[in-house]
Amino acid sequence: MKRVVIIGGGFGGIYAAKSMKKLPVEVKLIDRRNFHLFQPFLYQVATGGLSSGDIAQPIRTILRRNKNTEVIQAEVVDIDPERKKIIMRDGEMSYDKLVISTGSSHHYFGHEDWAQKAPSLKTVENALDIRRRILLAFEAAERESDPVEREAWLTFLIVGAGPTGVELSGTLGELARKTLRDEFRNFNPESAKIMLVEGLESALPGYPDKLSRKAERALKKRGVTVRTGTMVTEIDGNKVTLTARDDSKEKILARTIVWAAGVKASNLGHKLAERANIEINKSGQVKVRSDLTVPDYPDIFVIGDLAYALDRQGEPLPGLGAVAMQQGRYVARSIKRQMKRKRIKPFRYWDRGKMAFIGLNAAIVDISRLHFNGFLGWLFWVFVHIYFLIGFNNKLLVLTQWAWNYFTRKRGARLIIGSKHFPVLTREADEQPQITEYEPTEERV
Amino acid sequence: MKRVVIIGGGFGGIYAAKSMKKLPVEVKLIDRRNFHLFQPFLYQVATGGLSSGDIAQPIRTILRRNKNTEVIQAEVVDIDPERKKIIMRDGEMSYDKLVISTGSSHHYFGHEDWAQKAPSLKTVENALDIRRRILLAFEAAERESDPVEREAWLTFLIVGAGPTGVELSGTLGELARKTLRDEFRNFNPESAKIMLVEGLESALPGYPDKLSRKAERALKKRGVTVRTGTMVTEIDGNKVTLTARDDSKEKILARTIVWAAGVKASNLGHKLAERANIEINKSGQVKVRSDLTVPDYPDIFVIGDLAYALDRQGEPLPGLGAVAMQQGRYVARSIKRQMKRKRIKPFRYWDRGKMAFIGLNAAIVDISRLHFNGFLGWLFWVFVHIYFLIGFNNKLLVLTQWAWNYFTRKRGARLIIGSKHFPVLTREADEQPQITEYEPTEERV
């Protein structure tokens, strides 16, 4: 039996595997993690609205009825297209067909050292780290008596106004203005400054202008300051330098910075490009043919965020879960047709629109001729997203949690955990102001 | 206004603070963590049934309506009863009345080095660590081809058959036999060996004999081997030596060990004993008077697991959440009566019984003349515990989650997270067999 190896258990990989259920092939799905993650909800984990368990599901559970599929937790470090093998950290495996769907992370554009100070929101660990930083900042502000320092604790800078940045800053605004109300005695959480910085000309670049403007208004209502046409050009401790288009500079004191800009494709793209002599773009995405295979290697498919695929108009497809899902299904169909020696049509993306969540009663929906926003947009967003918690048995639970959050404005998952969970206020000149550096003495007995 | 300082936000501290809502005092509640933890459900987090957010609630949220109360996240490292001050890592604070409720952890009886190999279940981090070890063991077994090694991965040893050990091993049995069914291709999860080892003569020591025997039977039905009268005397890598009463020894190969034995009171008891020249017992608990104050210091109360308090019969009170809660309320009333110069009656524990959860349809309930077990016990256990999710706004959510787990036998929160989330199988002679040592290369960009 032919062996199909799928690398990556994101939207693309899971849909590919699911769609191969009845094919007479042996499927191996390899991922570094044991779970599929519903990334569109990661910002909810980062702001304490959902627990990580709510948005993750073991890949084995999703695919347990696919008797032809074995799920392997391992890391693929290289691909050898000549020998038709993948190389894992602890072994090799041969394939007949290969589907690479390892996704992307955020791009620091040469400032990789900023990752420590300004984490991005791509993994569960990132989300829990950001949650800890946000909540610790409020804890520190409560204990801080110096007004300048307190303001620095209460200043939150989000870099990049794509959907992630918009969703995160809107929710953070609600956290400060609604959820935390009455919980502190030494300051008013409403005084928190939330800044959303975007290099391009508007929030939600790529959305229709009208919706971008509506998003900006909705954010403003939630206390978020949106700065478009502005780049972060330096991060030095808690001093951040913003540079506008006219080259004017401004320094901001912010203790909490989250990076939500740029796209950097998974490193396997580079590896494949070296070995197979194919093109990648400057984000590291692999240029694929119209059938999503790699030039000269019709047995290797690249899908999802790792692929640089063009639509009929020659425009690149957006980095959306919906694209990856459709590509996963397409690959399964293609392999079936290849096996039957049937002709394969090029991949076509069926655009079901774009959405962004700003907060309670506010979401931006752009579906071809249909534009929603406000409460209707919010409702639509919630239902569509929960519908797409794929393979998830816990849709009902997440919906209950959302309804709960909606009616109470509570965010239940506000734990500060991890080894560095503790605020210690130091008065020294503090170049790298990490409140979180301290491990408590006794607890880990 | 008099200042009451409460150290610790567990059952005792929270109930004390809540009960002081209307007293004309200034309350400061200090905890190292920003959240109150419902510890009786920790084993559910360790086995993937609940997320940590489900069993924790920010202390600020619980006490937000207590306008006289300030919540401070800080670590208390010492107490100076002469100057009436507590010493935090980053400052001091004076008190008029002090309530110490910092609880206990498990006791390794001089083998503190075992903590790394056999973690105990006391903090959220512990629970997530144990969850990771359990799930990684199954992942490693799936990739392991050597049958002896695979059996070591599939052997789980739980040390101590108190409620925590019983609950954890019963749930682990169900995880292997029900939840994981159909998810692996290279072994049958039912073949997992789960051993519960107890030094005393029966499971659930302290419960009536009849219930202990019922618990043992219920565990056996779930595939758990119960070994009473047996001690762990050595842990060397993955080789564990068990010693029976007759001094016969047996070596077990087990990759996953969880420690659920002994009680070791928080270190503040030792500090207080040094400073105030009072007695502590060998678990480090502070001997308190019948009004829960410390001899010679009528302004210092010690409650909960940290206190060694006797009942009317001269027996020590059990280490239960219910005791701590009642003591917290009692302290608030005592302070009120002290302020009014009224006579204070000794603390009396109103025993509402003991319970232990073994698995679906099985729990052990011991309420004075009322003994339940089986399904009725289970139902009772679930309702009583959810009722006592104190100050929790998410009772409904947790109940939904339980109902869900019950009907589907799924456990939704089965994520392997943390920096060491990855199984790498090595073939070297492996003295400290840590599958979990490896950090993936790229993910944390």
Side-chain angles (χ1 to χ4, degrees), chain B residues 263-394:
Chain B
V263 174
K264 186 183 168 189
S266 143
N267 200 34
L268 270 188
H270 280 277
K271 298 276 182 186
L272 186 64
E274 279 168 32
R275 302 291 206 123
N277 195 24
I278 52 170
E279 263 185 282
I280 54 173
N281 69 6
K282 66 178 197 296
S283 302
Q285 292 170 314
V286 175
K287 294 198 182 173
V288 293
R289 302 177 351 151
S290 65
D291 64 354
L292 307 180
T293 62
V294 164
D296 300 330
Y297 294 93
D299 294 329
I300 303 182
F301 296 86
V302 178
I303 62 175
D305 279 5
L306 181 60
Y308 181 80
L310 302 177
D311 66 13
R312 258 184 287 200
Q313 286 74 42
E315 291 290 311
L317 292 175
L320 295 176
V323 174
M325 292 178 198
Q326 292 179 29
Q327 290 178 331
R329 267 198 299 250
Y330 170 86
V331 166
R333 276 198 308 266
S334 285
I335 289 176
K336 188 174 172 187
R337 293 182 75 90
Q338 281 179 354
M339 289 169 74
K340 294 186 176 170
R341 302 185 185 287
K342 285 191 182 168
R343 205 175 66 86
I344 290 156
K345 283 185 231 160
F347 172 72
R348 292 271 173 264
Y349 171 53
W350 178 49
D351 187 353
R352 281 177 303 197
K354 291 195 286 273
M355 287 185 275
F357 180 89
I358 295 164
L360 293 181
N361 296 336
I364 296 294
V365 175
D366 166 26
I367 299 179
S368 47
R369 257 140 303 173
L370 220 62
H371 291 179
F372 303 143
N373 64 313
F375 178 72
L376 205 64
W378 182 81
L379 213 62
F380 193 82
W381 186 95
V382 166
F383 277 96
V384 168
H385 274 75
I386 286 167
Y387 178 79
F388 276 107
L389 274 171
I390 44 157
F392 274 68
N393 302 299
N394 52 355

Side-chain angles (χ1 to χ4, degrees), chain B residues 98-159:
Chain B
L98 179 63
V99 183
I100 312 179
S101 180
T102 47
S104 65
S105 54
H106 291 288
H107 202 330
Y108 288 90
F109 306 109
H111 291 284
E112 263 54 40
D113 54 307
W114 291 356
Q116 196 60 32
K117 186 60 202 161
S120 62
L121 189 60
K122 208 69 190 185
T123 67
V124 166
E125 285 84 356
N126 292 156
L128 297 176
D129 179 29
I130 292 168
R131 182 178 80 183
R132 185 175 62 222
R133 289 174 190 235
I134 292 169
L135 298 174
L136 274 176
F138 285 101
E139 292 295 329
E142 175 79 342
R143 298 193 63 199
E144 181 62 68
S145 47
D146 180 73
V148 175
E149 279 296 314
R150 181 180 286 160
E151 195 179 320
W153 285 122
L154 292 175
T155 302
F156 300 86
L157 188 72
I158 289 115
V159 186

Side-chain angles (χ1 to χ4, degrees), chain A residues 75 89 183 393 404 438, chain B residues 61 75 89 183 393 404 438:
Chain A
E75 186 181 24
R89 185 164 286 273
E183 296 203 358
N393 303 298
W404 182 261
Y438 164 65
Chain B
T61 305
E75 185 180 25
R89 184 164 286 273
E183 296 204 359
N393 302 299
W404 182 260
Y438 163 66

Side-chain angles (χ1 to χ4, degrees), chain A residues 20-67:
Chain A
M20 288 178 200
K21 187 174 179 179
K22 289 180 181 160
L23 289 192
V25 291
E26 175 195 35
V27 178
K28 308 274 185 188
L29 190 149
I30 306 176
D31 197 292
R32 288 187 294 206
R33 312 309 299 257
N34 78 322
F35 54 85
H36 166 75
L37 183 67
F38 193 75
Q39 284 194 353
F41 280 174
L42 259 188
Y43 77 97
Q44 283 285 341
V45 173
T47 50
L50 294 174
S51 285
S52 48
D54 298 333
I55 65 160
Q57 186 78 336
I59 298 171
R60 300 192 176 287
T61 306
I62 300 174
L63 298 175
R64 72 190 178 287
R65 306 241 182 276
N66 290 41
K67 296 295 175 199

Side-chain angles (χ1 to χ4, degrees), chain A residues 31-35 37 51-54 56-58 60-77 88-91 105-106 108 112 115 120 123-126 128 131 135-136 138-139 142-143 179 181-186 264-268 393-397 400-401 404-405 408 410-419 421-425 438-445, chain B residues 31-35 37 51-54 56-58 60-77 88-91 105-106 108 112 115 120 123-126 128 131 135-136 138-139 142-143 179 181-186 264-268 393-397 400-401 404-405 408 410-419 421-425 438-445:
Chain A
D31 197 292
R32 288 187 294 206
R33 312 309 299 257
N34 78 322
F35 54 85
L37 183 67
S51 285
S52 48
D54 298 333
Q57 186 78 336
R60 300 192 176 287
T61 306
I62 300 174
L63 298 175
R64 72 190 178 287
R65 306 241 182 276
N66 290 41
K67 296 295 175 199
N68 63 347
T69 304
E70 184 178 341
V71 176
I72 299 165
Q73 196 188 357
E75 186 181 24
V76 176
V77 291
M88 295 174 287
R89 185 164 286 273
D90 51 357
S105 55
H106 291 289
Y108 287 90
E112 261 55 39
S120 61
T123 67
V124 166
E125 284 84 356
N126 293 153
L128 296 176
R131 183 178 80 184
L135 297 174
L136 274 175
F138 285 100
E139 293 295 330
E142 176 79 342
R143 300 194 61 199
T179 310
R181 184 156 55 192
D182 300 332
E183 296 203 358
F184 294 90
R185 301 290 177 253
N186 301 324
K264 186 182 167 188
S266 143
N267 200 34
L268 271 189
N393 303 298
N394 52 356
K395 285 177 199 187
L396 172 72
L397 288 175
T400 318
Q401 180 85 53
W404 182 261
N405 290 353
T408 64
K410 294 272 173 292
R411 309 186 73 75
R414 271 159 44 219
L415 292 68
I416 303 176
I417 57 173
S419 59
H421 62 255
F422 203 78
V424 167
L425 300 180
Y438 164 65
E439 276 195 50
T441 42
E442 195 199 335
E443 196 150 30
R444 326 198 112 222
V445 183
Chain B
D31 197 294
R32 289 186 295 206
R33 312 308 300 256
N34 77 321
F35 54 86
L37 183 66
S51 285
S52 48
D54 297 333
Q57 186 78 337
R60 301 192 175 288
T61 305
I62 299 174
L63 298 174
R64 72 190 179 288
R65 306 241 182 276
N66 290 41
K67 296 296 175 198
N68 63 347
T69 304
E70 185 179 338
V71 176
I72 299 165
Q73 196 188 356
E75 185 180 25
V76 177
V77 292
M88 295 174 285
R89 184 164 286 273
D90 50 356
S105 54
H106 291 288
Y108 288 90
E112 263 54 40
S120 62
T123 67
V124 166
E125 285 84 356
N126 292 156
L128 297 176
R131 182 178 80 183
L135 298 174
L136 274 176
F138 285 101
E139 292 295 329
E142 175 79 342
R143 298 193 63 199
T179 311
R181 186 156 54 192
D182 299 333
E183 296 204 359
F184 293 89
R185 301 290 178 253
N186 301 323
K264 186 183 168 189
S266 143
N267 200 34
L268 270 188
N393 302 299
N394 52 355
K395 286 178 198 186
L396 172 72
L397 288 175
T400 317
Q401 179 86 51
W404 182 260
N405 290 352
T408 64
K410 292 273 172 294
R411 309 186 74 76
R414 274 161 38 220
L415 291 67
I416 303 176
I417 57 172
S419 59
H421 62 254
F422 202 79
V424 167
L425 301 181
Y438 163 66
E439 277 195 49
T441 43
E442 195 199 335
E443 197 151 30
R444 327 197 111 223
V445 183

